[in-house]
Amino acid sequence: MKRPHVYLNMAMTADGKITSAAREYPKFTSAFDKKNMDRLRARADAVLIGAGTLRADDPPLHVRDAEMQAYRESLGKQRELVHVLVSGSLSVDPDSGFFNPERADSLIVATVDEAPAERVAALEGKAEVWRVGSGRVDMAALLERLHERGVEQLLAEGGGELNWALAQADLLDELFITVAPSLLGGREAPTLLEGPGFAMADQTRLELADLTREGDEIYLRYRVLR
Ligand SMILES: NC(=O)c1ccc[n+]([C@@H]2O[C@H](COP(=O)([O-])OP(=O)(O)OC[C@H]3O[C@@H](n4cnc5c(N)ncnc54)[C@H](OP(=O)(O)O)[C@@H]3O)[C@@H](O)[C@H]2O)c1
């Protein structure tokens, strides 16, 4: 199967949480981390998020920093990143920032065969709606289709359920993880990987490719071992 290189970028607290139990907008990283996030976006052809992240945060997904946008252009990338949303239910607000009409031709929503027709209709014209799988979005099939569309570098930006869907299907190649100097705790606060998790015998093994420190933050880069 031909698919893009998939790299994940997430920030977590020292106790592994990606937001609070109340799912507030994550605010525990520095300006340096935000610039680093833009650097990772600059080399991507597309960025992928789960519907939980859209519903909780509706985060901006473009390259915001002018220097990083210039870096993107120096790499010969298209000006706009393709934005891809994964949602089985399509229970998302068609007026959210994700569906910016100025980017309509670079927005893709990946859903399932059973997606309610009225919700598909509400998104048509705002984004391309792809049915990729039955029951759950078939992540391997989605990646294959994105590759056919010219996506060679795919940046996954969470949240935990979407990350799990990628990890479970063995579709992650690299992980960029920022460890922030804070604690959130909370049984209900999501971590990097949600879902049912792997059995001990099936854990994904990683190789530490890089480790840097900036102030009190740690930047980790892992490669997935196969
Ligand atoms: N710290 C960070 O770096 C960071 C980054 C991103 C997000 N976050 C936080 O993470 C939280 C959201 O995480 P989350 O785990 O709740 O949600 P999520 O992973 O963003 O989204 C989960 C949703 O994505 C859809 N989905 C994922 N895989 C699917 C599949 N294979 N087939 C069909 N649909 C699929 C489903 O949508 P439907 O329910 O619509 O079917 C599912 O409910 C937010 O609070 C956000 O702040 C933190």
Side-chain angles (χ1 to χ4, degrees):
M1 176 192 101
K2 284 205 163 163
R3 66 162 178 85
H5 177 82
V6 181
Y7 60 111
L8 176 150
N9 182 38
M10 296 289 289
M12 66 179 198
T13 59
D15 58 329
K17 301 300 185 184
I18 60 169
T19 184
S20 62
R23 298 188 178 232
E24 295 157 280
Y25 197 91
K27 282 186 196 155
F28 47 75
T29 57
S30 66
F32 183 88
D33 181 65
K34 287 178 184 59
K35 188 152 185 171
N36 195 49
M37 193 178 196
D38 268 6
R39 183 177 288 109
L40 292 170
R41 284 179 183 170
R43 47 169 271 220
D45 298 303
V47 59
L48 182 71
I49 61 163
T53 295
L54 174 61
R55 287 189 284 263
D57 302 340
D58 193 13
L61 297 173
H62 57 283
V63 180
R64 298 153 297 182
D65 184 272
E67 191 190 329
M68 289 304 135
Q69 183 61 38
Y71 167 57
R72 177 174 182 77
E73 281 156 27
S74 77
L75 297 175
K77 298 278 179 192
Q78 293 198 333
R79 189 169 170 79
E80 287 297 340
L81 274 163
V82 175
H83 295 185
V84 187
L85 173 73
V86 178
S87 174
S89 73
L90 290 190
S91 177
V92 293
D93 179 0
D95 294 323
S96 60
F98 180 89
F99 298 103
N100 180 342
E102 287 170 22
R103 297 206 174 85
D105 51 5
S106 55
L107 302 180
I108 295 170
V109 179
T111 190
V112 293
D113 297 341
E114 302 81 1
E118 70 280 6
R119 291 195 180 145
V120 175
L123 297 182
E124 266 161 2
K126 295 188 175 250
E128 288 177 48
V129 181
W130 294 358
R131 285 189 166 85
V132 200
S134 179
R136 303 289 293 159
V137 170
D138 178 337
M139 298 304 290
L142 171 61
L143 264 52
E144 202 170 346
R145 201 160 158 186
L146 287 170
H147 191 265
E148 285 165 10
R149 168 73 177 259
V151 176
E152 289 183 357
Q153 295 288 323
L154 177 65
L155 171 59
E157 287 202 4
E161 287 293 341
L162 179 83
N163 295 345
W164 168 253
L166 290 166
Q168 185 184 31
D170 193 18
L171 295 169
L172 290 175
D173 300 306
E174 267 186 304
L175 292 87
F176 292 80
I177 298 172
T178 305
V179 183
S182 71
L183 297 172
L184 276 168
R187 206 172 282 118
E188 303 302 325
T191 63
L192 281 183
L193 279 194
E194 289 294 303
F198 294 117
M200 197 60 75
D202 300 328
Q203 62 190 278
T204 298
R205 304 299 307 196
L206 307 175
E207 172 186 51
L208 184 63
D210 198 16
L211 179 158
T212 54
R213 175 183 174 166
E214 184 67 31
D216 289 328
E217 288 177 336
I218 298 171
Y219 290 80
L220 299 165
R221 178 179 187 169
Y222 287 107
R223 269 191 287 273
V224 174
L225 292 176
R226 298 204 159 82

